[in-house]
């Protein structure tokens, strides 16, 4: 029996008493992935990206492990919720226009001490000030650096369109604008190199593309390391007591942690290891989060139909954004139908061994987005479900 076949048998036994559709997290794999992130971080703390987990119980589990410290959140409402729930170090990774949230933040000493907001434009300070509604607490601010690689005099750009702040002078000028502004304090810098951390460099069947990605990423790491160090020096001239410099993501943890200027790294997807993280040479994780759909039809030889399945991930539309049929091995989508809103036909010889009521196990393309489809995660240890915990959705929290 292959390792994957053994996993399928375990998951089927563990959840035999439950009705599908359902989602699980294999805790042995989850913990092993957490250990690997800590190893790759080389002694620097790992801040957990909550959007890739979206389950408070699992956030608490990983934060209790040595080597992890703090949460990187994705909305202001989520940040306040986590802080009220006891998390005392929440870095909001994206600018917000949540006026009610800013009013709450500025009026509550505990929240203001726990939550750091993201800024890359003085206009965002105007919005926060206009939303204060009399709240006088000092708002903690993190400045975001644009990490994109610019080639041929800026005519070619590689990387996400995030912050407009690219040079040390640009970041330092915004730091001065914050420092001059009553009610705000710069405490950190963040730089997320998504074109390194979030792009696989070993795509199956595409050796030339994979080689090109590796060359690009090597160049991007060199350029960013030099520029990030210069930015930190420039900002420290304005803010000598800067608390942290955050960088990286699951795919670049060991590279980013190796920079002297970086004090902490961020990661989250590496805990669940969704399918988009199969194409990396820098690490190999264990799939920990899966979902099961039940077989409800057998429309012909070499074909079954499962209930549900149309759970695409965000990003540029493409086949790589779809969940992948994982167990049993050898199933594939019908190219004329794909993943359906209510039902999904699957093709392949393993279909002939599946009966009505049997399960097909899938892996989502991305990490935390799976939790927007399920209100609970069943935690599997060995061949048993040892606990069932709510996702954000299960707690009634749908932040985006």
């Amino acid at each position: 029996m292959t390792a994957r076949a053994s996993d399928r048998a375990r998951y089927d036994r563990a959840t035999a008493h439950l009705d599908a559709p359902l989602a699980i997290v294999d805790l042995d794999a989850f913990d092993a992935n957490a250990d690997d992130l800590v190893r790759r971080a080389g002694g620097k703390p790992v801040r957990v990206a909550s959007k890739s987990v979206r389950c408070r119980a699992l956030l608490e589990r990983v934060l209790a492990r040595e080597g992890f410290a703090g949460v990187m959140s994705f909305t202001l409402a989520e940040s306040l919720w986590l802080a009220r729930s006891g998390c005392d170090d929440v870095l909001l990774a994206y600018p917000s226009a949540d006026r009610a949230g800013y009013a709450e933040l500025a009026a509550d000493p505990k929240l203001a001490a726990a939550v750091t907001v993201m800024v890359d434009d003085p206009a965002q300070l105007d919005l926060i000030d206009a939303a204060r509604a009399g709240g006088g607490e000092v708002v903690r601010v993190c400045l975001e650096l644009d990490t994109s690689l610019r080639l041929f005099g800026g005519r070619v750009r590689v990387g996400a369109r995030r912050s407009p702040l690219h040079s040390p002078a640009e970041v330092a000028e915004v730091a001065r604008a914050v420092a001059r502004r009553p009610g705000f304090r710069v405490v950190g810098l963040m730089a997320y190199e998504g074109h390194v951390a979030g792009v696989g460099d070993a795509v199956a069947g595409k050796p030339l593309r994979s080689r090109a990605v590796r060359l690009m990423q090597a160049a991007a790491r060199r350029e960013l390391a030099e520029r990030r160090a210069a930015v930190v020096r420039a900002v420290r001239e304005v803010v000598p007591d800067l608390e942290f410099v955050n960088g990286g993501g699951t795919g670049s943890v060991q590279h980013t942690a190796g920079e002297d200027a970086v004090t902490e790294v961020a990661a989250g997807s590496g805990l669940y290891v969704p399918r988009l993280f199969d194409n990396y040479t820098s690490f190999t994780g264990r799939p920990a989060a899966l979902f099961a759909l039940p077989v409800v039809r057998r429309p012909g030889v070499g074909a079954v139909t499962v209930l549900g399945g149309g759970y695409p991930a965000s990003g540029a539309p493409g086949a790589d954004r779809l969940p992948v049929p994982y167990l049993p091995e050898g199933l594939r989508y019908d190219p004329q139908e794909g993943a359906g809103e209510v039902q999904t036909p699957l093709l392949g010889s393993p279909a002939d061994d599946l009966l009505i009521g049997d399960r097909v196990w899938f892996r989502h393309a991305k990490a935390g987005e799976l939790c927007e489809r399920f209100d609970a995660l069943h935690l599997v240890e060995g061949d048993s479900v040892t606990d069932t915990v709510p996702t954000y959705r299960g707690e009634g929290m749908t932040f985006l």
Side-chain angles (χ1 to χ4, degrees), residues 72 91 93 118 142-145 162 188-192 246-247:
M72 177 177 282
L91 170 61
M118 194 63 60
C142 178
L143 305 179
E144 181 169 2
L145 168 67
R162 293 176 61 117
L189 286 171
M190 188 190 84
Y192 172 59
N246 179 281

Side-chain angles (χ1 to χ4, degrees), residues 69 80 132 145:
L80 301 177
R132 282 180 180 270
L145 168 67

Side-chain angles (χ1 to χ4, degrees), residues 85-212:
S85 301
C87 186
D88 62 3
D89 182 6
V90 184
L91 170 61
L92 175 57
Y94 309 88
S96 176
D98 181 353
R99 291 175 173 82
Y102 282 131
E104 185 176 355
L105 178 68
D108 189 314
K110 178 182 176 182
L111 295 179
V115 176
T116 301
V117 304
M118 194 63 60
V119 166
D120 57 34
D121 187 326
Q124 294 155 350
L125 304 179
D126 295 337
L127 187 149
I128 296 171
D129 267 341
R132 282 180 180 270
E137 295 298 323
V138 173
V139 174
R140 292 167 54 86
V141 169
C142 178
L143 305 179
E144 181 169 2
L145 168 67
D146 168 41
T147 65
S148 65
L149 176 64
R150 298 181 182 182
L151 304 171
F152 306 109
R155 292 189 297 274
V156 175
R157 173 196 177 106
V158 181
R161 296 184 182 277
R162 293 176 61 117
S163 170
L165 307 178
H166 190 78
S167 70
E170 290 170 335
V171 183
E173 178 55 34
V174 175
R176 280 189 286 271
V178 178
R180 290 192 297 263
R181 192 97 170 221
F184 295 92
R185 181 162 66 95
V186 174
V187 298
L189 286 171
M190 188 190 84
Y192 172 59
E193 53 269 39
H195 50 302
V196 178
V199 178
D201 64 349
V203 181
K206 297 184 178 180
L208 294 179
R209 176 183 172 184
S210 297
R211 173 64 175 165

